[in-house]
């Protein structure tokens, strides 16, 4: 079946950590949240690594350098080297370097992660539109980023300087809740200038390219919590994906996912990397997984049976995605999800 019309989560007779050589792991909502490790993450990643799986940490957050991210992971009990971390800052720096001469000046609106990535590609970070930049790059700069930085970017972009963005995630999780992300900051410059940036981060191809170049992955598995970045990025890169339910995606979002947002596998947390995945099979006019059978009724999704809640969710996904085809399922799945506690 074509990847573009996935109608059910897939099964795997092997543990995913054995079936794939490299896990491309998102960080926020997958490995940690608010700076603390998510439950089961540390031990699951250790087991996968000990079994021979290469672990790479892929983030759209351009603020922190790979050194800082690796140090944070190591402090959490997840040993990591800077080379294990791939950021959207690295992806956008390569995108810029492919289009401008080495040694070119680039106006930076963002944090140290962007500056380090630009220097790695032989580019020179500058701070003002009056420094004669040949490009403008914008990445997440944290909550203390001065408003005047957006003005500098706007002045340069309005003069016709090419504009790049590390990513356009509208939100970013924090220890206190959901905060505006780089996409919100990009909107400020877009409104002021009417221009459109070239974007590098997930779910777009430059990020996948950067990740594969740096990891050498041959059978990668994208592991994420967001449908619109992690799972769509896997779809665009034509690789398999595992959605974990430890971040922003809930059951209702998953049932309504269009084809580009439908993961290959679904599990509760990173323990799902260490196991096989159950088969979802056709059953009469519905779909069955474990002890559950899900069908698409006239107005809502129906669920019968009992057993593991995740099996019920997988069966519901199959019923919803089959009913939706290449669109979005509009059937009410609320009652079925409530029965599963999801």
């Amino acid at each position: 079946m074509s990847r573009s019309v996935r109608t059910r989560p897939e099964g795997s007779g092997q543990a995913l950590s054995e079936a794939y050589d490299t896990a491309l792991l998102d960080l926020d909502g997958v490995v940690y949240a608010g700076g603390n490790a998510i439950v089961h993450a540390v031990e699951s990643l250790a087991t996968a690594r000990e079994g021979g799986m290469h672990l790479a940490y892929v983030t759209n957050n351009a603020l922190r350098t790979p050194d800082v991210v690796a140090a944070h992971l190591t402090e959490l009990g997840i040993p990591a080297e800077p080379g294990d971390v791939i950021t959207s800052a690295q992806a956008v720096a390569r995108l810029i370097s492919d289009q401008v001469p080495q040694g070119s000046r680039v106006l930076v609106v963002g944090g140290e992660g962007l500056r380090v990535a630009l220097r790695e590609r032989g580019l020179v970070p500058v701070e003002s539109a009056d420094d004669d930049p040949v490009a403008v790059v914008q990445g997440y700069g944290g909550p203390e980023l001065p408003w005047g930085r957006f003005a500098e970017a706007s002045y340069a972009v309005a003069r016709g300087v090419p504009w790049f963005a590390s990513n356009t995630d509208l939100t970013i999780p924090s220890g206190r809740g959901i905060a505006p992300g780089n996409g919100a900051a990009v909107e400020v410059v877009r409104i002021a200038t009417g221009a459109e940036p070239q974007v590098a981060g997930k779910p777009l191809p430059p990020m996948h390219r950067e990740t594969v170049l740096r990891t050498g992955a041959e059978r990668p598995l994208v592991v994420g919590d967001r449908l619109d970045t992690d799972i769509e990025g896997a779809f665009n890169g034509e690789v398999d994906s595992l959605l974990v339910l430890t971040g922003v995606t809930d059951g209702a979002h998953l049932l309504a996912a269009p084809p580009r947002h439908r993961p290959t596998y679904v599990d509760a947390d990173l323990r799902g990397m260490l196991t096989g995945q159950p088969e979802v099979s056709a059953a009469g006019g519905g779909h069955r997984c474990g002890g559950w059978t899900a069908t698409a009724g006239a107005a809502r999704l129906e669920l019968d049976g009992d057993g593991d809640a995740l099996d019920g969710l997988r069966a519901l996904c199959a019923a919803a995605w089959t009913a939706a085809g290449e669109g979005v399922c509009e059937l009410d799945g609320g009652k079925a999800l409530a029965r599963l506690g999801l």
Side-chain angles (χ1 to χ4, degrees):
M1 178 174 291
S2 168
R3 183 182 304 274
S4 63
V5 289
R6 182 184 304 284
T7 57
R8 69 184 75 175
E10 291 186 11
S12 174
Q14 283 183 290
L16 300 185
S17 58
E18 298 172 358
Y20 300 89
D21 68 344
T22 306
L24 307 181
L25 293 136
D26 183 47
L27 289 172
D28 289 310
V30 175
V31 177
Y32 54 63
N36 298 314
I38 286 175
V39 64
H40 305 302
V42 174
E43 56 268 35
S44 297
L45 293 173
T47 301
R49 183 174 55 250
E50 290 164 4
M53 191 180 212
H54 179 204
L55 305 180
Y57 303 95
V58 186
T59 177
N60 261 2
N61 191 328
L63 177 60
R64 299 191 296 171
T65 67
D67 300 70
V68 171
V69 174
H72 180 208
L73 289 168
T74 302
E75 289 173 2
L76 294 177
I78 304 168
E81 299 293 333
D84 298 325
V85 179
I86 300 93
T87 73
S88 63
Q90 295 170 324
V92 77
R94 189 184 298 270
L95 186 63
I96 296 169
S97 70
D98 287 343
Q99 300 180 41
V100 304
Q102 193 169 38
S104 294
R105 297 181 177 189
V106 179
L107 172 59
V108 176
V109 180
E112 186 62 16
L114 272 179
R115 294 177 176 84
V116 169
L118 289 169
R119 295 188 189 104
E120 183 184 58
R121 303 243 66 86
L123 301 170
V124 180
V126 297
E127 303 301 317
S128 171
D130 296 332
D131 290 331
D132 297 321
V134 301
V136 176
V137 64
Q138 191 169 357
Y140 183 66
E144 306 305 322
L145 187 69
W147 187 259
R149 303 306 302 149
F150 304 136
E152 291 299 325
S154 298
Y155 299 148
V157 172
R159 295 170 189 169
V161 176
W163 178 29
F164 298 81
S166 64
N167 66 297
T168 52
D169 296 23
L170 291 173
T171 61
I172 187 169
S174 77
R176 297 175 60 193
I178 301 299
N182 191 55
V186 166
E187 286 300 312
V188 173
V189 178
R190 181 185 281 124
I191 291 168
T193 63
E196 292 289 335
Q198 295 185 52
V199 182
K202 296 182 288 186
L204 297 173
M207 189 68 175
H208 181 73
R209 173 194 176 202
E210 189 71 21
T211 300
V212 171
L213 285 173
R214 289 180 180 268
T215 64
E218 296 182 356
R219 301 187 314 280
L221 177 71
V222 170
V223 184
D225 70 307
R226 297 184 70 117
L227 301 180
D228 59 348
T229 55
D230 305 315
I231 305 308
E232 186 174 341
F235 174 86
N236 290 337
E238 298 185 346
V239 299
D240 289 344
S241 60
L242 166 66
L243 177 80
V244 291
L245 302 176
T246 49
V248 301
T249 299
D250 60 18
H253 290 125
L254 187 56
L255 297 185
R260 67 184 183 279
H261 290 171
R262 297 172 186 170
T264 314
Y265 311 106
V266 179
D267 221 307
D269 52 54
L270 287 178
R271 289 176 296 178
M273 294 171 54
L274 308 178
T275 65
Q277 293 288 307
E279 293 288 341
V280 181
S281 59
H287 293 84
R288 185 172 183 82
C289 185
W292 299 95
T293 299
T295 55
R300 69 182 186 183
L301 298 169
E302 305 285 353
L303 186 66
D304 293 312
D306 57 30
D308 184 83
L310 277 171
D311 287 342
L313 179 60
R314 295 178 182 112
L316 278 173
C317 286
W321 298 350
T322 299
E326 297 188 9
V328 173
C329 182
E330 297 180 353
L331 299 176
D332 181 9
K335 184 175 180 180
L337 290 172
R339 184 177 177 190
L340 296 172
L342 299 171

